[in-house]
Amino acid sequence: MSIELPEARILASQLDQTLKGKTIQSYDLMDVERMTRIGFINKDIFEFDDLIGKTVEAATSRGNVIRIKLSNAVNLLLAPEYGGVVIFLPEGGKVPKYHIRVDFTDGSKLTTRITSMGLIYAVRDENLTDSYMYKRDFMNGVSPIEPDYTWEWFRETFGGQNRQPKPLLVGKEAHLIGISNATFQDVIYRAGVHPKHKVSDLSENQLRGLYDSIKLVMYERLRLNGKHQFKDIHGKTGSYVPAMGPNMKDRHCPNCGTLIQRLAHGGGHVYLCPTCQPEN
Ligand SMILES: [Zn+2]
């Protein structure tokens, strides 16, 4: 299950409430050889020794990245954005499979397992900007759940762009952070926008629809404890079901009854309703 902006925020606020003040006694890494090779975890795994004896001061998130801030300018960065499980275990709980297990002095534990692409890094404050994901999400872009995501900003930034919406919303050149291909499908369906529709050709209503849908999807996922396959740190699942996406394969549009289509688009696939999202 991917951990995107709303799910990362849910985890970060739970971690903040649950871990604050706890001191790390030890840690263990498991099955990390491959992750080290491809750069998903510190190249020098002994950098995790920095965690020992440090106390959790806060946990925050921006975009898809979670920062657990420890004493003495040490951080544990978790970014299981394409898939991962972060679980808190009070004393005595059964330990699930993990890549990192952090043991606190009070007997509780935190485990994280990356199930697809994602990062686990022990980083000192002065090296935070060396982390590609930290730089991408904490230092760049506008976040759709922060006050600078306004309609005026959106209209000014996107209106008139002679491009399809996806590269403006998702990926390296996006003006926003935290929007994945999955969220993109959900959002454009709700806004009635075809993925190949140039943004400059959208009506004011359609553009406003995009802006509103992004906000709605983010806040609904926060309200419903994340997407339906997501598990929070206590193992409780989320209940947000996307309005459009792979879950709508071979189904009919709930608005108009048209069979949902799958279209290759922008290096991935997009599910859409050809009636509610006309190409022109
Ligand atoms: Zn439809």
Side-chain angles (χ1 to χ4, degrees):
M1 169 60 215
S2 56
I3 309 287
E4 296 154 10
L5 186 154
E7 291 77 27
R9 176 53 60 92
I10 291 164
L11 292 176
S13 66
Q14 291 182 332
L15 291 170
D16 188 68
Q17 281 172 16
T18 313
L19 302 185
K20 205 180 270 181
K22 289 186 190 286
T23 300
I24 297 175
Q25 186 169 54
S26 57
Y27 72 91
D28 185 45
L29 300 171
M30 225 158 72
D31 307 331
V32 293
E33 296 74 16
R34 187 181 147 270
M35 290 184 51
T36 310
R37 246 187 352 260
I38 50 184
F40 286 0
I41 202 164
N42 296 54
K43 266 214 159 54
D44 176 4
I45 54 170
F46 293 103
E47 286 174 2
F48 284 94
D49 285 354
D50 266 354
L51 304 180
I52 296 171
K54 306 302 186 305
T55 300
V56 177
E57 291 180 347
T60 55
S61 74
R62 195 164 190 271
N64 302 344
V65 179
I66 299 163
R67 175 187 181 189
I68 303 176
K69 196 176 166 346
L70 304 166
S71 52
N72 296 69
V74 174
N75 302 274
L76 178 60
L77 290 185
L78 304 175
E81 62 176 357
Y82 287 92
V85 189
V86 181
I87 294 282
F88 174 74
L89 297 150
E91 205 178 352
K94 184 178 177 284
V95 181
K97 269 177 97 175
Y98 58 82
H99 287 119
I100 185 166
R101 187 195 75 223
V102 174
D103 308 317
F104 298 99
T105 52
D106 65 358
S108 61
K109 299 173 196 309
L110 182 77
T111 66
T112 298
R113 183 167 179 84
I114 303 290
T115 55
S116 180
M117 291 202 294
L119 302 184
I120 299 175
Y121 266 81
V123 198
R124 296 185 152 269
D125 278 358
E126 68 260 32
N127 300 326
L128 275 172
T129 52
D130 294 348
S131 158
Y132 151 72
M133 280 197 186
Y134 182 84
K135 221 155 84 178
R136 184 197 67 187
D137 283 8
F138 270 85
M139 302 177 68
N140 288 298
V142 164
S143 165
I145 60 167
E146 286 175 11
D148 49 354
Y149 181 69
T150 62
W151 166 234
E152 290 68 32
W153 173 83
F154 191 87
R155 186 168 52 183
E156 191 144 311
T157 308
F158 295 95
Q161 292 254 20
N162 188 28
R163 300 178 73 183
Q164 295 174 353
K166 188 168 173 183
L168 299 171
L169 300 174
V170 186
K172 281 198 173 117
E173 297 167 49
H175 297 280
L176 285 166
I177 54 163
I179 300 191
S180 63
N181 187 45
T183 304
F184 173 71
Q185 299 171 54
D186 194 356
V187 162
I188 59 168
Y189 169 73
R190 289 172 183 275
V193 171
H194 192 278
K196 294 195 172 162
H197 206 141
K198 288 227 176 87
V199 175
S200 50
D201 295 338
L202 296 177
S203 68
E204 176 101 348
N205 264 347
Q206 284 176 307
L207 197 63
R208 178 77 202 206
L210 270 183
Y211 168 79
D212 287 338
S213 309
I214 290 169
K215 216 169 168 166
L216 178 106
V217 167
M218 293 294 163
Y219 283 102
E220 278 299 279
R221 279 163 67 176
L222 284 173
R223 189 176 71 82
L224 296 170
N225 201 43
K227 288 219 275 187
H228 59 302
Q229 293 140 328
F230 166 74
K231 275 200 171 102
D232 69 15
I233 69 165
H234 307 297
K236 186 171 169 254
T237 51
S239 56
Y240 177 80
V241 180
M244 185 54 65
N247 57 310
M248 292 300 289
K249 184 176 189 268
D250 299 327
R251 292 173 64 181
H252 292 89
C253 172
N255 279 339
C256 71
T258 308
L259 185 66
I260 298 306
Q261 277 182 3
R262 180 174 183 258
L263 184 78
H265 181 68
H269 288 96
V270 171
Y271 287 86
L272 60 91
C273 170
T275 306
C276 295
Q277 298 164 266
E279 197 165 343
N280 281 301

